Amino acid sequence: MAGKLYLCATPIGNLDDMTFRVLETLKSVDLIAAEDTRNSIKLLNHFDIHTEMTSYHEYNKYDKAAWLIEKMQSGINVALITDAGTPAISDPGEVLVAECHKAGITVTSLPGPAACITALTLSGLSTRRFCFEGFLPSQDDKKARKRILDDLKDESRTIIVYEAPHHLKAALDDLYDVLGDRRISICRELTKKFEEVNPTTIKDAISFYKENEPRGEYVLVIEGKSLEEQEEEKRLAWQEMSIEEHMKFYEDQGISHKDAMKKVAADRGVGKREIYQALLEKS
């Protein structure tokens, strides 16, 4: 009988956030795959866990995934942990999960801490709809970084981004250049003694970090573009063409003159009578 893969969420700072279920699983499985065994041994020692460990990280994620799957196919149960938080979120664990599904290995996730969700709930920004971007592409890969930032420009959901301290200033500069000035909550040291949540704006954050050196790992929670702002941009785009050109755009699609006027009025945020009057004056 094949073994299973257990995705075990571990604390992102406060060790009291370790769940009983994860503790029991880490003690009972045959093998723990850890992102950094040197870091994870401290966690295991703290909780008196003596299960064998092996490394599983970004640089061996494909070869090691194949090796772990062979182990599980032989009946070995494996727990996957990351340095902090939930495995497979912006993490090489996603590769192992995908390969397990291909191989027919059962995967189960033991919920627990996740920095992205913790920051979102603390941010004071909308939590109803959000998207998680993880780490932005490196500044060395300008094309990929620009593509991602351009995708985020019109994102109406709250945006969550991870950033390392030595890249924070550049990230804020790039976000400001593409998104403009938006509300942002900058979170660091989450769940720890000196936890900080700073609700501010991107522009003010840039000014702050010119005077203060970033320290610690950051989660940036950024306000999405409002629906009102999107509608205003659409109206401004339509106004770049004349009313006659706007009417022709719809009538060329087989839409009647009367219905085209309704659409043009709606696009421009004005009444149908105003469009009728403008066309009358041009005739």
Side-chain angles (χ1 to χ4, degrees), residues 177-199:
D177 287 343
V178 176
L179 306 183
D181 199 20
R182 302 230 191 134
R183 289 193 298 160
I184 183 173
S185 280
I186 300 180
C187 307
R188 62 181 291 272
E189 297 294 291
L190 290 172
T191 77
K192 299 177 183 177
K193 182 178 181 180
F194 298 107
E195 175 179 278
E196 289 183 7
V197 179
N198 180 19

PDB file of all heavy atoms in Angstrom, residues 177-199:
ATOM      1  N   ASP A 177       5.428  53.308  -9.796  1.00  0.00           N
ATOM      2  CA  ASP A 177       5.517  53.668 -11.214  1.00  0.00           C
ATOM      3  C   ASP A 177       4.372  53.067 -12.024  1.00  0.00           C
ATOM      4  O   ASP A 177       3.849  53.695 -12.952  1.00  0.00           O
ATOM      5  CB  ASP A 177       6.855  53.192 -11.800  1.00  0.00           C
ATOM      6  CG  ASP A 177       8.033  54.023 -11.314  1.00  0.00           C
ATOM      7  OD1 ASP A 177       7.808  55.135 -10.801  1.00  0.00           O
ATOM      8  OD2 ASP A 177       9.176  53.537 -11.447  1.00  0.00           O
ATOM      9  N   VAL A 178       3.979  51.852 -11.676  1.00  0.00           N
ATOM     10  CA  VAL A 178       2.964  51.146 -12.473  1.00  0.00           C
ATOM     11  C   VAL A 178       1.543  51.347 -11.922  1.00  0.00           C
ATOM     12  O   VAL A 178       0.603  51.596 -12.680  1.00  0.00           O
ATOM     13  CB  VAL A 178       3.292  49.638 -12.547  1.00  0.00           C
ATOM     14  CG1 VAL A 178       2.191  48.889 -13.300  1.00  0.00           C
ATOM     15  CG2 VAL A 178       4.628  49.417 -13.221  1.00  0.00           C
ATOM     16  N   LEU A 179       1.386  51.241 -10.615  1.00  0.00           N
ATOM     17  CA  LEU A 179       0.050  51.291 -10.010  1.00  0.00           C
ATOM     18  C   LEU A 179      -0.370  52.702  -9.611  1.00  0.00           C
ATOM     19  O   LEU A 179      -1.554  52.953  -9.378  1.00  0.00           O
ATOM     20  CB  LEU A 179      -0.019  50.399  -8.766  1.00  0.00           C
ATOM     21  CG  LEU A 179       0.406  48.933  -8.903  1.00  0.00           C
ATOM     22  CD1 LEU A 179       0.195  48.213  -7.584  1.00  0.00           C
ATOM     23  CD2 LEU A 179      -0.358  48.241 -10.018  1.00  0.00           C
ATOM     24  N   GLY A 180       0.606  53.602  -9.492  1.00  0.00           N
ATOM     25  CA  GLY A 180       0.298  54.915  -8.944  1.00  0.00           C
ATOM     26  C   GLY A 180       0.249  54.837  -7.425  1.00  0.00           C
ATOM     27  O   GLY A 180       0.648  53.838  -6.815  1.00  0.00           O
ATOM     28  N   ASP A 181      -0.241  55.884  -6.808  1.00  0.00           N
ATOM     29  CA  ASP A 181      -0.296  55.903  -5.346  1.00  0.00           C
ATOM     30  C   ASP A 181      -1.559  55.209  -4.871  1.00  0.00           C
ATOM     31  O   ASP A 181      -2.670  55.620  -5.215  1.00  0.00           O
ATOM     32  CB  ASP A 181      -0.248  57.345  -4.828  1.00  0.00           C
ATOM     33  CG  ASP A 181       0.167  57.414  -3.373  1.00  0.00           C
ATOM     34  OD1 ASP A 181       0.770  56.428  -2.887  1.00  0.00           O
ATOM     35  OD2 ASP A 181      -0.090  58.437  -2.726  1.00  0.00           O
ATOM     36  N   ARG A 182      -1.380  54.159  -4.119  1.00  0.00           N
ATOM     37  CA  ARG A 182      -2.511  53.393  -3.586  1.00  0.00           C
ATOM     38  C   ARG A 182      -2.307  53.164  -2.100  1.00  0.00           C
ATOM     39  O   ARG A 182      -1.200  53.255  -1.586  1.00  0.00           O
ATOM     40  CB  ARG A 182      -2.598  52.017  -4.260  1.00  0.00           C
ATOM     41  CG  ARG A 182      -2.727  52.069  -5.751  1.00  0.00           C
ATOM     42  CD  ARG A 182      -3.854  51.204  -6.231  1.00  0.00           C
ATOM     43  NE  ARG A 182      -3.812  51.069  -7.677  1.00  0.00           N
ATOM     44  CZ  ARG A 182      -3.952  49.922  -8.312  1.00  0.00           C
ATOM     45  NH1 ARG A 182      -4.096  48.808  -7.626  1.00  0.00           N
ATOM     46  NH2 ARG A 182      -3.934  49.883  -9.636  1.00  0.00           N
ATOM     47  N   ARG A 183      -3.394  52.820  -1.434  1.00  0.00           N
ATOM     48  CA  ARG A 183      -3.252  52.403  -0.042  1.00  0.00           C
ATOM     49  C   ARG A 183      -2.506  51.072   0.007  1.00  0.00           C
ATOM     50  O   ARG A 183      -2.696  50.207  -0.851  1.00  0.00           O
ATOM     51  CB  ARG A 183      -4.622  52.256   0.621  1.00  0.00           C
ATOM     52  CG  ARG A 183      -5.336  53.567   0.876  1.00  0.00           C
ATOM     53  CD  ARG A 183      -6.522  53.372   1.795  1.00  0.00           C
ATOM     54  NE  ARG A 183      -7.518  52.498   1.208  1.00  0.00           N
ATOM     55  CZ  ARG A 183      -8.461  51.846   1.905  1.00  0.00           C
ATOM     56  NH1 ARG A 183      -8.501  51.959   3.216  1.00  0.00           N
ATOM     57  NH2 ARG A 183      -9.339  51.082   1.286  1.00  0.00           N
ATOM     58  N   ILE A 184      -1.670  50.931   1.014  1.00  0.00           N
ATOM     59  CA  ILE A 184      -0.889  49.708   1.178  1.00  0.00           C
ATOM     60  C   ILE A 184      -0.670  49.467   2.666  1.00  0.00           C
ATOM     61  O   ILE A 184      -0.510  50.425   3.434  1.00  0.00           O
ATOM     62  CB  ILE A 184       0.472  49.817   0.441  1.00  0.00           C
ATOM     63  CG1 ILE A 184       1.267  48.509   0.534  1.00  0.00           C
ATOM     64  CG2 ILE A 184       1.298  50.976   0.970  1.00  0.00           C
ATOM     65  CD1 ILE A 184       2.540  48.508  -0.313  1.00  0.00           C
ATOM     66  N   SER A 185      -0.720  48.226   3.090  1.00  0.00           N
ATOM     67  CA  SER A 185      -0.337  47.862   4.452  1.00  0.00           C
ATOM     68  C   SER A 185       0.944  47.050   4.370  1.00  0.00           C
ATOM     69  O   SER A 185       0.995  46.024   3.682  1.00  0.00           O
ATOM     70  CB  SER A 185      -1.439  47.048   5.143  1.00  0.00           C
ATOM     71  OG  SER A 185      -2.460  47.897   5.611  1.00  0.00           O
ATOM     72  N   ILE A 186       1.975  47.537   5.046  1.00  0.00           N
ATOM     73  CA  ILE A 186       3.278  46.879   5.016  1.00  0.00           C
ATOM     74  C   ILE A 186       3.451  46.119   6.322  1.00  0.00           C
ATOM     75  O   ILE A 186       3.467  46.714   7.410  1.00  0.00           O
ATOM     76  CB  ILE A 186       4.400  47.907   4.815  1.00  0.00           C
ATOM     77  CG1 ILE A 186       4.179  48.642   3.489  1.00  0.00           C
ATOM     78  CG2 ILE A 186       5.760  47.235   4.845  1.00  0.00           C
ATOM     79  CD1 ILE A 186       5.216  49.675   3.166  1.00  0.00           C
ATOM     80  N   CYS A 187       3.539  44.801   6.222  1.00  0.00           N
ATOM     81  CA  CYS A 187       3.559  43.929   7.406  1.00  0.00           C
ATOM     82  C   CYS A 187       4.910  43.229   7.536  1.00  0.00           C
ATOM     83  O   CYS A 187       5.469  42.755   6.543  1.00  0.00           O
ATOM     84  CB  CYS A 187       2.462  42.869   7.296  1.00  0.00           C
ATOM     85  SG  CYS A 187       0.814  43.554   6.972  1.00  0.00           S
ATOM     86  N   ARG A 188       5.411  43.159   8.762  1.00  0.00           N
ATOM     87  CA  ARG A 188       6.674  42.452   9.009  1.00  0.00           C
ATOM     88  C   ARG A 188       6.647  41.848  10.405  1.00  0.00           C
ATOM     89  O   ARG A 188       5.856  42.243  11.259  1.00  0.00           O
ATOM     90  CB  ARG A 188       7.873  43.389   8.861  1.00  0.00           C
ATOM     91  CG  ARG A 188       7.907  44.535   9.829  1.00  0.00           C
ATOM     92  CD  ARG A 188       9.103  45.441   9.613  1.00  0.00           C
ATOM     93  NE  ARG A 188      10.345  44.810   9.971  1.00  0.00           N
ATOM     94  CZ  ARG A 188      10.869  44.827  11.190  1.00  0.00           C
ATOM     95  NH1 ARG A 188      10.249  45.459  12.178  1.00  0.00           N
ATOM     96  NH2 ARG A 188      12.006  44.236  11.435  1.00  0.00           N
ATOM     97  N   GLU A 189       7.501  40.845  10.609  1.00  0.00           N
ATOM     98  CA  GLU A 189       7.611  40.164  11.906  1.00  0.00           C
ATOM     99  C   GLU A 189       6.248  39.629  12.372  1.00  0.00           C
ATOM    100  O   GLU A 189       5.928  39.672  13.560  1.00  0.00           O
ATOM    101  CB  GLU A 189       8.185  41.119  12.959  1.00  0.00           C
ATOM    102  CG  GLU A 189       9.588  41.607  12.671  1.00  0.00           C
ATOM    103  CD  GLU A 189      10.621  40.480  12.718  1.00  0.00           C
ATOM    104  OE1 GLU A 189      10.886  39.958  13.810  1.00  0.00           O
ATOM    105  OE2 GLU A 189      11.143  40.119  11.646  1.00  0.00           O
ATOM    106  N   LEU A 190       5.466  39.121  11.439  1.00  0.00           N
ATOM    107  CA  LEU A 190       4.122  38.659  11.772  1.00  0.00           C
ATOM    108  C   LEU A 190       4.150  37.556  12.826  1.00  0.00           C
ATOM    109  O   LEU A 190       4.961  36.637  12.744  1.00  0.00           O
ATOM    110  CB  LEU A 190       3.413  38.167  10.513  1.00  0.00           C
ATOM    111  CG  LEU A 190       3.037  39.265   9.515  1.00  0.00           C
ATOM    112  CD1 LEU A 190       2.523  38.660   8.211  1.00  0.00           C
ATOM    113  CD2 LEU A 190       2.005  40.212  10.103  1.00  0.00           C
ATOM    114  N   THR A 191       3.266  37.659  13.795  1.00  0.00           N
ATOM    115  CA  THR A 191       3.066  36.750  14.944  1.00  0.00           C
ATOM    116  C   THR A 191       4.191  36.830  15.976  1.00  0.00           C
ATOM    117  O   THR A 191       4.128  36.168  17.002  1.00  0.00           O
ATOM    118  CB  THR A 191       2.878  35.272  14.533  1.00  0.00           C
ATOM    119  OG1 THR A 191       4.149  34.682  14.185  1.00  0.00           O
ATOM    120  CG2 THR A 191       1.905  35.107  13.378  1.00  0.00           C
ATOM    121  N   LYS A 192       5.224  37.629  15.707  1.00  0.00           N
ATOM    122  CA  LYS A 192       6.355  37.736  16.634  1.00  0.00           C
ATOM    123  C   LYS A 192       6.143  38.889  17.622  1.00  0.00           C
ATOM    124  O   LYS A 192       5.198  39.673  17.515  1.00  0.00           O
ATOM    125  CB  LYS A 192       7.657  37.925  15.864  1.00  0.00           C
ATOM    126  CG  LYS A 192       7.998  36.773  14.930  1.00  0.00           C
ATOM    127  CD  LYS A 192       9.265  37.047  14.143  1.00  0.00           C
ATOM    128  CE  LYS A 192       9.549  35.926  13.154  1.00  0.00           C
ATOM    129  NZ  LYS A 192      10.743  36.191  12.319  1.00  0.00           N
ATOM    130  N   LYS A 193       7.057  39.013  18.561  1.00  0.00           N
ATOM    131  CA  LYS A 193       6.950  40.022  19.623  1.00  0.00           C
ATOM    132  C   LYS A 193       6.880  41.430  19.056  1.00  0.00           C
ATOM    133  O   LYS A 193       6.138  42.280  19.550  1.00  0.00           O
ATOM    134  CB  LYS A 193       8.138  39.890  20.579  1.00  0.00           C
ATOM    135  CG  LYS A 193       8.096  40.853  21.753  1.00  0.00           C
ATOM    136  CD  LYS A 193       9.269  40.628  22.686  1.00  0.00           C
ATOM    137  CE  LYS A 193       9.217  41.582  23.877  1.00  0.00           C
ATOM    138  NZ  LYS A 193      10.369  41.369  24.808  1.00  0.00           N
ATOM    139  N   PHE A 194       7.669  41.710  18.015  1.00  0.00           N
ATOM    140  CA  PHE A 194       7.720  43.055  17.454  1.00  0.00           C
ATOM    141  C   PHE A 194       6.978  43.147  16.126  1.00  0.00           C
ATOM    142  O   PHE A 194       7.403  43.840  15.205  1.00  0.00           O
ATOM    143  CB  PHE A 194       9.177  43.501  17.304  1.00  0.00           C
ATOM    144  CG  PHE A 194       9.911  43.567  18.617  1.00  0.00           C
ATOM    145  CD1 PHE A 194      10.871  42.613  18.937  1.00  0.00           C
ATOM    146  CD2 PHE A 194       9.620  44.557  19.532  1.00  0.00           C
ATOM    147  CE1 PHE A 194      11.539  42.658  20.152  1.00  0.00           C
ATOM    148  CE2 PHE A 194      10.280  44.625  20.752  1.00  0.00           C
ATOM    149  CZ  PHE A 194      11.244  43.670  21.066  1.00  0.00           C
ATOM    150  N   GLU A 195       5.851  42.458  16.049  1.00  0.00           N
ATOM    151  CA  GLU A 195       5.014  42.499  14.852  1.00  0.00           C
ATOM    152  C   GLU A 195       4.657  43.944  14.504  1.00  0.00           C
ATOM    153  O   GLU A 195       4.316  44.747  15.372  1.00  0.00           O
ATOM    154  CB  GLU A 195       3.740  41.699  15.116  1.00  0.00           C
ATOM    155  CG  GLU A 195       2.705  41.750  14.004  1.00  0.00           C
ATOM    156  CD  GLU A 195       1.482  40.915  14.334  1.00  0.00           C
ATOM    157  OE1 GLU A 195       1.525  39.695  14.121  1.00  0.00           O
ATOM    158  OE2 GLU A 195       0.498  41.493  14.853  1.00  0.00           O
ATOM    159  N   GLU A 196       4.745  44.248  13.192  1.00  0.00           N
ATOM    160  CA  GLU A 196       4.406  45.589  12.717  1.00  0.00           C
ATOM    161  C   GLU A 196       3.443  45.502  11.548  1.00  0.00           C
ATOM    162  O   GLU A 196       3.642  44.720  10.622  1.00  0.00           O
ATOM    163  CB  GLU A 196       5.660  46.338  12.254  1.00  0.00           C
ATOM    164  CG  GLU A 196       6.595  46.753  13.381  1.00  0.00           C
ATOM    165  CD  GLU A 196       7.779  47.546  12.857  1.00  0.00           C
ATOM    166  OE1 GLU A 196       7.800  47.877  11.644  1.00  0.00           O
ATOM    167  OE2 GLU A 196       8.688  47.828  13.647  1.00  0.00           O
ATOM    168  N   VAL A 197       2.405  46.314  11.604  1.00  0.00           N
ATOM    169  CA  VAL A 197       1.484  46.479  10.483  1.00  0.00           C
ATOM    170  C   VAL A 197       1.359  47.981  10.253  1.00  0.00           C
ATOM    171  O   VAL A 197       0.878  48.704  11.127  1.00  0.00           O
ATOM    172  CB  VAL A 197       0.105  45.860  10.773  1.00  0.00           C
ATOM    173  CG1 VAL A 197      -0.834  46.068   9.580  1.00  0.00           C
ATOM    174  CG2 VAL A 197       0.241  44.378  11.104  1.00  0.00           C
ATOM    175  N   ASN A 198       1.810  48.447   9.100  1.00  0.00           N
ATOM    176  CA  ASN A 198       1.843  49.876   8.819  1.00  0.00           C
ATOM    177  C   ASN A 198       0.900  50.213   7.670  1.00  0.00           C
ATOM    178  O   ASN A 198       1.256  50.073   6.505  1.00  0.00           O
ATOM    179  CB  ASN A 198       3.278  50.298   8.469  1.00  0.00           C
ATOM    180  CG  ASN A 198       3.373  51.784   8.171  1.00  0.00           C
ATOM    181  OD1 ASN A 198       2.500  52.558   8.552  1.00  0.00           O
ATOM    182  ND2 ASN A 198       4.426  52.183   7.474  1.00  0.00           N
ATOM    183  N   PRO A 199      -0.341  50.657   7.987  1.00  0.00           N
ATOM    184  CA  PRO A 199      -1.255  51.091   6.919  1.00  0.00           C
ATOM    185  C   PRO A 199      -0.807  52.464   6.426  1.00  0.00           C
ATOM    186  O   PRO A 199      -0.752  53.418   7.192  1.00  0.00           O
ATOM    187  CB  PRO A 199      -2.615  51.174   7.625  1.00  0.00           C
ATOM    188  CG  PRO A 199      -2.409  50.618   9.004  1.00  0.00           C
ATOM    189  CD  PRO A 199      -0.957  50.781   9.313  1.00  0.00           C
TER     190      PRO A 199
END
